[in-house]
């Protein structure tokens, strides 16, 4: 199945598709527990206050405050205690020491450095029974007073180690950002660098004419060199994310160069330093046709860069000579590379691609794609001397919604359940800076075709899927051979692909008995509804007639071949001119193909 090409009035947007109709459907930190690392409660000290001397590192308590929940403690019973005689003890030349407060009996304990005075003599007892305490003795004052021992601070070497550790930790923390640095621009920021050629200057007026005479050549130079940094100097804001996705997907498809152009026939006036324009953006990938130098093809020596159509919002600078893309939206249908990250397998004759969550499907079908593409290429080289495409691109999915998001708008009727479709691709319009070896053109010139396969093409096993692949690759080669085509209708297009598909499955014989096309031919000829006329476009629309329309259209090529017609040339002429197959045969000097002779041949070859 091949899609209908865009009309000029649609600005080159791709149209809906028609497709095969066989039953197989080708076509925050916690607090430390109380008692751990904090000052004990005041009641642990006699009198509710700690000793007068400085705070020493607390020793582990003998009871209480060992966990987060306080335990009840026995209240100490007051006991009469002897009062020690405090005074100066020792030689006169010894230093005086501050008497220490008595240590607490429970709670937090602390060592106190003090000397007890000698036991006092027995104090006299008064007549009233009172006992007087001893008279304290005080040491003689010392002058000058002894020097106070300076407090010890944190040594300098400790500060040095701590500073070194801070530096080391900071370096280790920042190291991953250097190791895992992504060369791609951050989708949340603007241009990666300011232009270095003097451009990017504010406009002298907020309105004027946009020429892009600096921007377009610079962008295309970046695309031709695959210079991501240079390209994203012209991208910022909301346009960064979709264009980053596009760039990443082109990497997956192994691109070699890209091109951007402005759509023709647009107003070029900007207002408030801004303009929105239709643009094309595409790339030469591993699956793009490269026309051989020796071919008589009009694009010989060039490569195709399949391009999609977008709406770009540009912040204009330099009085219209340059600007920065700030917005990027699809104009019309989406390509697979516009929607999600891709995964692809590139082989000798095929690029099989899909989305990253369907890698297993892509891997499974990669071999089938290579086999089918190789047969089409070899057949054209043998029959015509030249194959203008040496590798074909296929996008595959088991998700019907994804399948019907790719290149297509109208999926009414049976089209949503089609097996596969080949979509002719748009090439870039002429624009400054596009390399000479990338083919450019107008709305009617294509850039080869891309194949899509959906759930309907995967239902009946690998053999049926391979037939679908061959069928659609024939469409792609046909489209590549005729770069500036007219639409001749489904009988010419689908008939040619069905004819070569049958030749592939039947080893060079059209409609061999037992093959799918052979069964369809015999059923259609024997049917009472066989109209005994050439198929017409409406036959491919009605679900009751679409199956036979494919097979019978293919038989027209088989009949012409039986008369000695070069059907490869006839198929290309019909596509280029928009003629029917009989008209194209006459145009190349072949015999007249009439309905009666064709019907007689059908009954003889496929009748019961």
């Amino acid at each position: 199945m091949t899609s209908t090409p865009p009309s000029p009035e649609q600005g080159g947007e791709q149209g809906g598709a028609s497709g095969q109709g066989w039953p197989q459907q080708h076509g925050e930190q916690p607090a430390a527990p109380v008692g751990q690392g904090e000052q004990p409660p005041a009641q642990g000290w006699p009198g509710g206050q700690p000793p007068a001397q400085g705070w020493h590192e607390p020793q582990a308590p003998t009871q209480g405050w060992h966990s987060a929940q306080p335990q009840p403690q026995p209240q100490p019973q007051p006991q009469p205690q002897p009062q020690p005689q405090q005074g100066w003890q020792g030689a006169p030349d010894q230093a005086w020491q501050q008497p220490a407060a008595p240590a607490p009996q429970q709670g937090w304990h602390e060592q106190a450095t003090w000397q007890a005075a000698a036991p006092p003599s027995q104090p006299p007892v008064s007549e009233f029974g009172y006992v007087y305490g001893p008279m304290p003795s005080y040491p003689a004052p010392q002058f000058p007073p002894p020097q106070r021992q300076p407090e010890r601070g944190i040594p300098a070497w400790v500060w040095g180690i701590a500073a070194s550790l801070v530096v080391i930790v900071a370096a280790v923390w920042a190291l991953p950002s250097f190791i895992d640095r992504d060369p791609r621009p951050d989708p949340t920021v603007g241009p990666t660098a300011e232009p270095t050629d003097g451009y990017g200057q504010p406009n002298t007026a907020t309105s004027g004419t946009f020429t892009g005479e600096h921007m377009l050549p610079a962008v295309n130079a970046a695309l031709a060199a695959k210079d991501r940094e240079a390209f994203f100097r012209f991208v910022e804001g909301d346009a960064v994310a979709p264009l980053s996705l596009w760039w990443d997907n082109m990497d997956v498809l192994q691109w070699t160069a890209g091109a951007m152009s402005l759509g023709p026939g647009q107003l070029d006036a900007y207002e408030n330093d801004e303009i929105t324009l239709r643009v094309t953006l595409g790339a030469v990938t591993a699956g793009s046709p490269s026309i051989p130098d020796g071919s008589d093809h009009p694009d010989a020596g060039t490569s195709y860069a399949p391009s999609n159509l977008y709406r770009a919002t540009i912040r204009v600078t330099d009085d219209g000579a340059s600007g920065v893309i700030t917005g990027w939206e699809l104009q019309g249908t989406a390509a697979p590379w516009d929607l999600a990250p891709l995964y692809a397998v590139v082989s000798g004759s095929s690029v099989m691609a899909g989305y990253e969550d369907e890698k297993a499907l892509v891997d499974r079908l990669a071999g089938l794609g290579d086999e089918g593409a190789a047969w089409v290429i070899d057949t054209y080289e043998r029959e015509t001397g030249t194959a203008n495409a040496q590798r074909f691109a296929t996008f595959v999915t088991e998700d019907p919604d994804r399948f019907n998001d790719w290149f297509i708008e109208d999926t009414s009727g049976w089209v949503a359940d089609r097996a596969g479709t080949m979509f002719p691709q748009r090439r870039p319009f002429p624009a400054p800076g596009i390399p000479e070896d990338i083919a450019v053109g107008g709305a009617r010139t294509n850039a080869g075709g891309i194949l899509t396969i959906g759930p309907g093409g995967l239902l009946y096993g690998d053999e049926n899927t391979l037939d679908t692949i061959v069928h659609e690759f024939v469409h792609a080669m046909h489209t590549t051979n005729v770069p500036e085509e007219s639409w001749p209708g489904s009988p010419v297009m689908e008939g040619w692909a069905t004819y070569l598909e049958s030749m592939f499955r039947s080893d060079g014989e059209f409609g061999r008995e037992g093959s799918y096309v052979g069964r369809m031919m015999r059923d259609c000829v024997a049917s009472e509804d066989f109209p005994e006329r050439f198929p017409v476009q409406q036959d491919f629309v009605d679900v009751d007639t679409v199956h036979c329309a494919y097979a019978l259209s293919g038989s027209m090529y088989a009949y012409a071949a039986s008369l000695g017609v070069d059907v490869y040339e006839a198929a290309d002429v019909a596509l280029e001119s928009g003629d029917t197959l009989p008209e194209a045969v006459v145009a190349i000097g072949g015999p007249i193909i009439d309905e009666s002779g064709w019907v007689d041949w059908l009954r003889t070859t496929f009748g019961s």
Side-chain angles (χ1 to χ4, degrees):
M1 166 182 181
T2 182
S3 74
T4 305
S7 68
E9 293 77 6
Q10 294 171 320
E13 296 180 23
Q14 288 149 322
S18 61
Q20 300 185 56
W22 305 327
Q24 289 88 340
Q25 289 296 333
H26 292 345
E28 167 161 80
Q29 288 290 335
V34 178
Q36 300 181 18
E38 66 181 42
Q39 184 171 345
Q43 62 265 29
W45 298 94
Q49 296 295 332
Q53 58 263 42
W55 176 259
H56 294 263
E57 182 67 24
Q59 305 299 314
T62 57
Q63 62 179 0
W65 305 105
H66 290 289
S67 68
Q69 297 297 326
Q71 301 294 325
Q73 299 186 23
Q75 297 296 322
Q77 298 297 324
Q79 297 292 333
Q81 298 183 13
Q83 299 297 321
Q85 175 70 33
Q86 296 184 354
W88 172 246
Q89 301 292 328
D93 57 348
Q94 290 181 322
W96 177 82
Q97 296 185 6
Q98 174 70 31
Q105 295 181 1
Q106 62 177 3
W108 291 79
H109 297 278
E110 174 183 323
Q111 290 182 339
T113 304
W114 64 290
Q115 286 184 331
S121 61
Q122 183 67 31
V125 178
S126 73
E127 58 179 332
F128 299 104
Y130 293 108
V131 178
Y132 294 96
M135 178 66 68
S137 60
Y138 298 95
Q142 185 177 355
F143 186 85
Q147 293 185 354
R148 186 175 181 180
Q149 191 72 16
E151 295 182 359
R152 297 179 59 88
I154 299 176
W157 61 269
V158 175
W159 287 111
I161 293 176
S164 299
L165 288 175
V166 170
V167 173
I168 292 172
V169 170
V172 170
W173 178 82
L175 186 61
S177 66
F178 292 96
I179 295 176
D180 299 331
R181 186 176 297 278
D182 193 334
R184 298 174 298 180
D186 186 344
T188 64
V189 301
T192 57
E194 291 297 327
T196 59
D197 52 6
Y199 283 87
Q201 303 302 315
N203 299 316
T204 58
T206 60
S207 60
T209 301
F210 178 76
T211 64
E213 61 187 35
H214 167 259
M215 177 182 178
L216 278 175
V219 166
N220 279 318
L223 289 169
K226 296 172 56 180
D227 188 335
R228 186 172 192 141
E229 181 178 358
F231 178 79
F232 278 91
R233 288 173 183 164
F234 296 92
V235 183
E236 68 182 14
D238 293 339
V240 176
L243 286 171
S244 294
L245 175 65
W246 180 89
W247 194 286
D248 294 341
N249 283 336
M250 294 305 106
D251 284 341
V252 171
L253 299 176
Q254 299 185 10
W255 67 313
T256 58
M260 179 184 288
S261 65
L262 300 180
Q266 303 182 82
L267 296 177
D268 54 5
Y270 65 87
E271 295 287 342
N272 299 318
D273 298 322
E274 188 175 274
I275 190 171
T276 299
L277 297 169
R278 295 192 315 274
V279 301
T280 67
L281 178 64
V284 179
T285 70
S288 301
S290 293
I291 312 302
D293 284 330
S295 171
D296 59 359
H297 193 284
D299 295 320
T302 65
S303 297
Y304 286 164
S307 304
N308 210 3
L309 194 62
Y310 307 91
R311 288 176 60 84
T313 300
I314 301 172
R315 176 174 59 82
V316 180
T317 64
D318 305 284
D319 292 334
S322 194
V324 176
I325 301 171
T326 61
W328 190 263
E329 297 177 351
L330 285 166
Q331 174 78 36
T333 59
W337 51 79
D338 292 322
L339 302 177
L342 292 173
Y343 170 77
V345 175
V346 179
S347 57
S349 301
S350 170
V351 176
M352 187 65 64
Y355 292 144
E356 289 182 341
D357 58 355
E358 291 188 292
K359 288 183 178 180
L361 176 64
V362 174
D363 289 337
R364 180 170 68 84
L365 296 183
L368 297 179
D370 198 48
E371 180 182 352
W375 184 87
V376 173
I377 293 168
D378 291 344
T379 299
Y380 264 86
E381 288 179 341
R382 183 181 64 250
E383 298 294 334
T384 70
T386 304
N388 288 315
Q390 293 294 318
R391 193 184 277 128
F392 298 100
T394 305
F395 292 87
V396 62
T397 182
E398 293 179 308
D399 187 329
D401 293 331
R402 286 179 174 176
F403 181 54
N404 289 313
D405 279 341
W406 295 342
F407 301 119
I408 195 168
E409 289 179 322
D410 183 9
T411 56
S412 59
W414 61 269
V415 175
D417 299 322
R418 69 201 186 281
T421 308
M422 188 284 302
F423 293 93
Q425 296 298 295
R426 177 186 290 104
R427 62 176 67 185
F429 299 106
I434 295 180
E436 293 183 355
D437 59 354
I438 292 181
V440 297
R444 279 295 183 184
T445 50
N446 67 64
I450 287 179
L451 165 62
T452 63
I453 295 178
L458 306 171
L459 290 176
Y460 303 102
D462 286 353
E463 181 176 304
N464 180 264
T465 300
L466 181 55
D467 288 348
T468 300
I469 289 173
V470 170
H471 182 103
E472 302 303 334
F473 282 168
V474 171
H475 281 316
M477 186 70 84
H478 197 190
T479 297
T480 301
N481 285 343
V482 185
E484 192 162 356
E485 61 187 49
S486 299
W487 178 243
S490 294
V492 168
M493 299 295 293
E494 300 301 339
W496 178 235
T498 302
Y499 170 73
L500 284 186
E501 175 199 338
S502 180
M503 300 291 279
F504 164 75
R505 180 52 60 193
S506 302
D507 299 325
E509 177 185 352
F510 177 82
R512 186 172 64 187
E513 191 171 1
S515 68
Y516 173 77
V517 174
R519 293 195 304 271
M520 288 301 302
M521 286 300 305
R522 287 161 177 82
D523 289 347
C524 294
V525 171
S527 173
E528 295 180 355
D529 296 327
F530 177 45
E532 298 189 356
R533 57 162 174 79
F534 291 145
V536 295
Q537 186 64 37
Q538 188 61 36
D539 295 334
F540 291 84
V541 177
D542 298 336
V543 66
D544 294 333
T545 59
V546 65
H547 307 293
C548 286
Y550 273 85
L552 292 173
S553 294
S555 73
M556 293 179 63
Y557 285 92
Y559 175 59
S562 71
L563 300 177
V565 174
D566 183 347
V567 290
Y568 290 83
E569 182 183 7
D572 287 350
V573 168
L575 179 57
E576 184 177 14
S577 64
D579 290 341
T580 65
L581 178 62
E583 292 170 338
V585 169
V586 171
I588 64 173
I592 296 175
I593 308 295
D594 59 32
E595 287 180 335
S596 60
W598 170 69
V599 171
D600 290 342
W601 177 82
L602 288 177
R603 295 199 181 277
T604 301
T605 307
F606 303 104
S608 55

